């Protein structure tokens, strides 16, 4: 059995209360880390689940009491579309949050979806190397937000794609077919994600209940359930879900 201890799982009544709860958790974590180190390395996720969270963070009290200028923004994955496209994870975060709070442009490290997938992955790898400590090719992120697909994928780590997932690369280009979303993508791999200090899965909705149950309580099956590969080596893993998503636990 592959069971997480209870304290890693936090269940909220619905997406709205989940989003409010995560906004407070995020705000507290940023202030703590910025007080300690003067910066915060944040990985944003795409998809629809974090949209309410981004909107909450873009308005008072969070828009005024989080040290936005101290945060470096990265993405867990990106679709290979131009940054102006409505399918772009960067566009979504920029429209809902980054354009509304006091971030520094030089701290926004988007994946260049306008490039060919392999070139976009190479460019993002260079970005990660630049912000990493000397002997590393990727930094230790302070917080990685992840979603979960109803097929068990996370970021752009899709079921059945065993070979890329065995990679030692922190960033790869992949193809993933899901809900008609763009197929060509760039994604962080478990190598980079598992080095983070904190990883928060945000999961909402009945359509995720089966994938959530199988991922956190089912047998270990890394090929069919890539989110099971997310096990921070020296960090906190939290599953922050709503009642509908938790309905099969
Ligand atoms: C993407 C996301 C992806 C997402 C899941 C869940 O590029 O689509 O990064 O991994 O988090 O597919 O998506 P929803 O939140 O829309 O259910």
């Amino acid at each position: 059995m592959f069971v997480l201890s209870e304290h890693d799982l936090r269940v909220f009544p619905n997406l709205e209360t989940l989003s409010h709860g995560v906004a407070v958790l995020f705000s507290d974590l940023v202030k703590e880390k910025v007080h300690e180190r003067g910066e915060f390395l944040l990985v944003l996720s795409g998809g629809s689940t974090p949209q309410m969270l981004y909107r909450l963070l873009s308005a008072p009290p969070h828009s005024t009491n989080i040290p936005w200028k101290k945060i470096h923004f990265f993405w867990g994955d990106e679709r290979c579309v131009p940054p102006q496209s409505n399918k772009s994870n960067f566009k979504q975060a920029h429209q809902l949050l980054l354009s509304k709070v006091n971030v520094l442009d030089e701290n926004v490290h988007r994946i260049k979806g306008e490039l060919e997938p392999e070139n976009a992955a190479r460019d993002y790898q260079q970005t990660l190397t630049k912000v990493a400590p000397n002997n590393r090719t990727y930094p230790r992120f302070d917080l990685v937000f992840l979603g979960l697909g109803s097929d068990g994928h996370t970021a752009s780590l899709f079921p059945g794609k065993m070979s890329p997932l065995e990679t030692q690369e922190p960033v790869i280009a992949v193809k993933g077919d899901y809900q008609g979303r763009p197929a060509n993508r760039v994604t962080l791999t478990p190598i980079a994600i598992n080095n983070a200090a904190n990883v928060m899965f945000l999961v909402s909705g009945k359509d995720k209940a089966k994938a959530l149950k199988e991922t956190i309580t089912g047998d270990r099956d890394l090929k069919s359930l890539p989110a099971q590969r997310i096990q921070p080596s020296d960090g906190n893993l939290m599953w922050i879900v709503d009642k509908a998503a938790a309905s099969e636990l």
Side-chain angles (χ1 to χ4, degrees):
M1 281 292 271
F2 180 79
V3 183
L4 278 178
S5 53
E6 277 314 302
H7 76 277
D8 297 320
L9 180 70
R10 196 171 293 205
V11 184
F12 286 86
N14 52 44
L15 179 57
E16 185 176 358
T17 49
L18 181 155
S19 304
H20 278 281
V22 172
V24 171
L25 279 171
F26 170 70
S27 174
D28 292 348
L29 188 61
V30 171
K31 290 172 196 167
E32 176 199 330
K33 294 289 183 181
V34 167
H35 178 70
E36 273 171 24
R37 277 195 2 255
E39 65 171 13
F40 190 87
L41 305 186
L42 172 64
V43 177
L44 296 173
S45 119
S48 58
T49 304
Q51 290 172 353
M52 193 181 294
L53 168 66
Y54 295 164
R55 288 196 178 91
L56 287 172
L57 293 175
S58 75
H62 303 301
S63 58
T64 48
N65 71 15
I66 287 175
W68 293 102
K69 284 189 175 173
K70 302 289 188 186
I71 303 177
H72 285 258
F73 297 86
F74 303 84
W75 277 258
D77 69 332
E78 184 57 278
R79 298 87 173 270
C80 287
V81 294
Q84 306 82 357
S85 162
N86 288 332
K87 302 270 189 190
S88 160
N89 289 337
F90 162 78
K91 161 86 180 283
Q92 171 172 277
H94 186 262
Q95 198 164 31
L96 297 178
L97 175 57
L98 304 183
S99 60
K100 301 197 167 123
V101 292
N102 219 359
V103 306
L104 296 179
D105 289 346
E106 62 266 30
N107 287 356
V108 178
H109 310 287
R110 70 179 181 88
I111 300 170
K112 292 180 182 161
E114 66 273 27
L115 302 177
E116 284 303 305
E118 295 299 341
N119 294 338
R122 198 170 304 114
D123 176 81
Y124 196 45
Q125 174 60 74
Q126 287 164 2
T127 298
L128 297 184
T129 303
K130 266 188 227 143
V131 298
N134 297 343
N135 59 342
R136 305 293 298 252
T137 56
Y138 51 92
R140 178 170 164 80
F141 296 114
D142 292 294
L143 173 60
V144 179
F145 279 126
L146 291 173
L148 182 72
S150 51
D151 63 353
H153 84 267
T154 189
S156 286
L157 306 170
F158 287 90
K161 310 273 184 198
M162 198 62 165
S163 47
L165 290 177
E166 293 307 330
T167 180
Q168 293 307 311
E169 297 302 319
V171 182
I172 55 173
V174 292
K175 269 193 186 306
D177 298 318
Y178 179 71
Q179 290 186 347
R181 297 178 184 179
N184 286 336
R185 294 153 168 264
V186 171
T187 188
L188 290 180
T189 66
I191 293 286
I193 298 170
N194 287 336
N195 185 49
N198 297 279
V199 177
M200 285 188 193
F201 276 94
L202 309 186
V203 190
S204 165
K206 184 108 180 85
D207 63 320
K208 305 293 177 73
K210 183 170 177 292
L212 181 66
K213 176 176 184 283
E214 287 179 356
T215 299
I216 63 175
T217 65
D219 293 336
R220 195 169 172 76
D221 180 353
L222 301 183
K223 187 165 183 173
S224 314
L225 299 165
Q228 286 186 342
R229 289 172 177 272
I230 306 305
Q231 287 294 315
S233 46
D234 173 24
N236 304 312
L237 173 63
M238 289 178 76
W239 288 85
I240 306 180
V241 308
D242 67 8
K243 215 155 145 264
S247 56
E248 293 192 20
L249 291 182

